[in-house]
Amino acid sequence: MRGRLRRRAAGLAFAGAGLLLAASVAAQSYEAGDSWWAPGSERVFPASADYPNGQGTLRVLLTGGPMATKGHPFFTAVGPNGRACITCHQPADAMSLSAATAQKRWDATAGRDPLFAAYDGSNCPTLPQNQRVSHSLLLDHGLIRIQRPWPARDLQGRVVKADFDIAVVRDPWGCNSGAYGPAKGKISVYRRPRPVANLKYLLAVGFAYDPKQGMPLPLDPESGKPMSGNLMADGRAGTLNAQMRDAAATHLELLKHFDAADMARIVDFESRVFAAQQVDAAGTMTDTGGAEGGPGKLARSEPGQLGSIGKPVWSEFEGWEKPDPALTPAQNAFRASVARGAKVFRDKTFLISDSAGINSPIGFGNPVRNSCVFCHNMSQMGNDVAPGQVDLGTTTQPFADPMPWLPLFRITCRGKPHPHYGRVIYTYDPGYALTTGRCADVGKITLQSLRGLAARAPYFSNGLAKDLRGIVDYYERRYRIGYSEQDKQDLVNLMSVL
């Protein structure tokens, strides 16, 4: 490691089956130069590690204590491209991957890091791999190429008869043409890596059915248990085992799947990792002063709880309304802003319109008046208690911002028109429809959790928002909410401490 490894008191210790038991262990704190985890480095994954970012400090906790990574399948490169799971799920980036981190790796390795493997770390495998422009989507927007089969396949791998046709209107990188195009049974879209932290919340089943579809939840073919539907951006995998099989065959380019023992070790690790902001931009701890922020709260809390039952979403920051005499005026002002942001998030209502998964198919009305917690409703996490496939317009015209660096597809519905876009749709990513084959699902993307946001810019599935203010500005444009400048800053400050 280039920098010096420091020790910082954390006041948290973990033991047993992931329960917080005592306050005695120090957190390892990594400078920027120390933060990259390379496959096969054989480092010990600590019980607690701190990583600085532009909004303070992220803390990553591993319940059950430190873990040796030598030979562990999450940390060991086993495929031909030299990658391991850790390559795209970095602790400093809240177990995701930021565009800033990708840029640092390009500069540090002259583009030779396994992160930039031709298959999906470049805009297309057919491009000259030694040129930066061939990796611009990853470097500038944090996007990994996702190659989906066409026609669509369901969770059991069976071909789905789609009720729409898809045509490539624009193909800036050539990865939706020729050998990589729909005519050859392939479609390439580009998405942000999803975090593999706090997964007990994403896997929690909050309802016995999908209220957005009016249908029972799909069952895991291996266990027979209902699946939450909140794991993957397009719902193509409903369990961690299924996700690992998908990643092994694509991102890791393995010639065979992980075996059962390897998958069990990866699931055990991923189920024990929690990540959240621990120190805020004002330099105070997010779990002090009447608040219950930080990853320790996530490790202790019960997942799948609807925020309107019991404590509202982000009520853990309500204590920051009251000034703390031990803090500076600037620190108290920042904390008051966070508390106001939590109230704006919960209480500021607006008209939500033409959003599949909300206004249709079952529908709550079009438009329906509600607030951010209508979808971001799970206590402690801010993801959706129900399966979170929703079309916010981030990938589909006319709502999406112009993104000429992404492919553009034309969807033509064969039967019933899309409830909000009509029979012909232009989209940068058909989203959930690539799994279901349903025109009504075009543009739907599974909502993510809101924890660790400060560590993993840019945001939305396609990197549309380059920073936290970009998230707020997009919603303001999309739904004409009427946020004041104070509201916007308060929301940014709230998201920065999550």
Side-chain angles (χ1 to χ4, degrees):
M1 296 185 293
R2 300 180 195 167
R4 184 181 58 175
L5 185 64
R6 306 195 315 270
R7 300 283 176 176
R8 180 184 297 170
L12 296 174
F14 291 82
L19 297 178
L20 198 61
L21 296 181
S24 61
V25 176
Q28 293 186 4
S29 182
Y30 295 93
E31 299 291 355
D34 301 322
S35 62
W36 179 259
W37 282 71
S41 59
E42 301 184 357
R43 294 156 63 180
V44 172
F45 200 96
S48 181
D50 288 349
Y51 296 91
N53 56 55
Q55 300 293 331
T57 302
L58 177 87
R59 178 163 292 175
V60 179
L61 298 180
L62 183 66
T63 63
M67 185 189 80
T69 65
K70 183 178 180 179
H72 193 287
F74 189 92
F75 299 86
T76 303
V78 292
N81 64 18
R83 282 182 179 171
C85 305
I86 190 68
T87 302
C88 294
H89 299 285
Q90 290 287 317
D93 296 343
M95 302 305 292
S96 177
L97 182 72
S98 69
T101 292
Q103 292 166 12
K104 290 176 184 176
R105 291 310 294 166
W106 180 271
D107 293 340
T109 67
R112 296 186 180 91
D113 194 278
L115 173 62
F116 305 107
Y119 178 80
D120 59 359
S122 69
N123 302 351
C124 193
T126 58
L127 297 172
Q129 295 300 303
N130 62 343
Q131 297 182 15
R132 187 191 189 281
V133 68
S134 300
H135 305 268
S136 61
L137 295 183
L138 175 55
L139 293 168
D140 298 335
H141 307 283
L143 302 176
I144 291 286
R145 188 176 75 92
I146 306 294
Q147 183 174 286
R148 296 303 318 275
W150 188 255
R153 294 181 179 271
D154 64 17
L155 295 179
Q156 285 73 48
R158 299 171 300 203
V159 172
V160 174
K161 185 177 181 181
D163 66 0
F164 63 86
D165 296 315
I166 186 166
V168 180
V169 176
R170 184 181 67 228
D171 188 21
W173 309 108
C175 234
N176 282 289
S177 307
Y180 287 92
K184 297 294 183 180
K186 303 171 186 177
I187 291 176
S188 290
V189 292
Y190 300 83
R191 299 178 184 150
R192 299 282 293 113
R194 292 172 72 87
V196 291
N198 313 318
L199 288 183
K200 72 176 182 180
Y201 293 89
L202 299 183
L203 296 171
V205 175
F207 290 98
Y209 66 98
D210 179 354
K212 296 182 177 68
Q213 304 286 343
M215 299 288 289
L217 292 178
L219 301 180
D220 176 5
E222 297 180 35
S223 69
K225 296 180 179 179
M227 296 183 291
S228 70
N230 282 321
L231 191 59
M232 303 293 285
D234 56 14
R236 67 183 184 276
T239 66
L240 291 180
N241 281 354
Q243 184 275 328
M244 279 184 278
R245 294 189 188 101
D246 178 84
T250 56
H251 309 307
L252 301 179
E253 298 183 87
L254 299 188
L255 301 179
K256 62 179 181 178
H257 292 307
F258 289 116
D259 62 28
D262 284 341
M263 288 197 293
R265 294 180 72 188
I266 294 174
V267 169
D268 170 72
F269 169 72
E270 292 180 341
S271 300
R272 296 191 289 120
V273 176
F274 296 88
Q277 200 77 344
Q278 180 67 25
V279 179
D280 63 37
T284 64
M285 303 285 280
T286 60
D287 57 358
T288 59
E292 294 181 289
K297 178 67 173 178
L298 297 178
R300 296 190 301 268
S301 299
E302 186 71 21
Q305 302 298 305
L306 193 65
S308 59
I309 300 174
K311 290 187 176 181
V313 174
W314 311 138
S315 61
E316 53 263 47
F317 296 104
E318 287 180 351
W320 286 5
E321 292 178 307
K322 184 178 179 181
D324 185 338
L327 301 180
T328 67
Q331 289 171 328
N332 278 317
F334 178 83
R335 288 191 160 206
S337 174
V338 170
R340 290 195 304 269
K343 287 189 173 182
V344 171
F345 193 93
R346 295 193 305 260
D347 301 338
K348 176 74 172 179
T349 63
F350 51 92
L351 292 177
I352 305 169
S353 61
D354 298 329
S355 298
I358 301 175
N359 306 113
S360 64
I362 299 301
F364 299 94
N366 189 22
V368 59
R369 180 172 287 280
N370 217 300
S371 67
C372 299
V373 297
F374 193 40
C375 293
H376 297 284
N377 50 48
M378 187 183 290
S379 292
Q380 313 304 331
M381 281 291 284
N383 59 294
D384 200 341
V385 171
Q389 287 81 37
V390 170
D391 173 28
L392 299 173
T394 54
T395 68
T396 305
Q397 295 181 358
F399 302 116
D401 292 349
M403 289 177 277
W405 50 88
L406 291 179
L408 183 65
F409 304 95
R410 181 177 63 247
I411 304 293
T412 303
C413 306
R414 294 196 196 118
K416 188 176 179 181
H418 188 281
H420 309 299
Y421 297 120
R423 192 169 299 279
V424 178
I425 310 163
Y426 290 89
T427 181
Y428 303 112
D429 184 348
Y432 192 42
L434 291 178
T435 299
T436 67
R438 296 193 297 254
C439 184
D441 292 331
V442 170
K444 287 185 182 178
I445 298 289
T446 305
L447 299 176
Q448 292 195 31
S449 73
L450 299 187
R451 288 293 186 170
L453 285 174
R456 53 185 174 94
Y459 307 106
F460 296 121
S461 66
N462 55 10
L464 180 151
K466 67 178 182 179
D467 53 27
L468 296 175
R469 177 59 184 259
I471 298 175
V472 179
D473 287 343
Y474 176 78
Y475 279 106
E476 174 67 27
R477 293 193 303 273
R478 173 66 178 87
Y479 296 114
R480 301 176 183 176
I481 298 172
Y483 288 136
S484 67
E485 281 301 310
Q486 183 68 69
D487 290 340
K488 293 177 181 179
Q489 188 59 55
D490 292 342
L491 285 169
V492 167
N493 290 343
L494 168 67
M495 289 188 290
S496 77
V497 304
L498 301 180

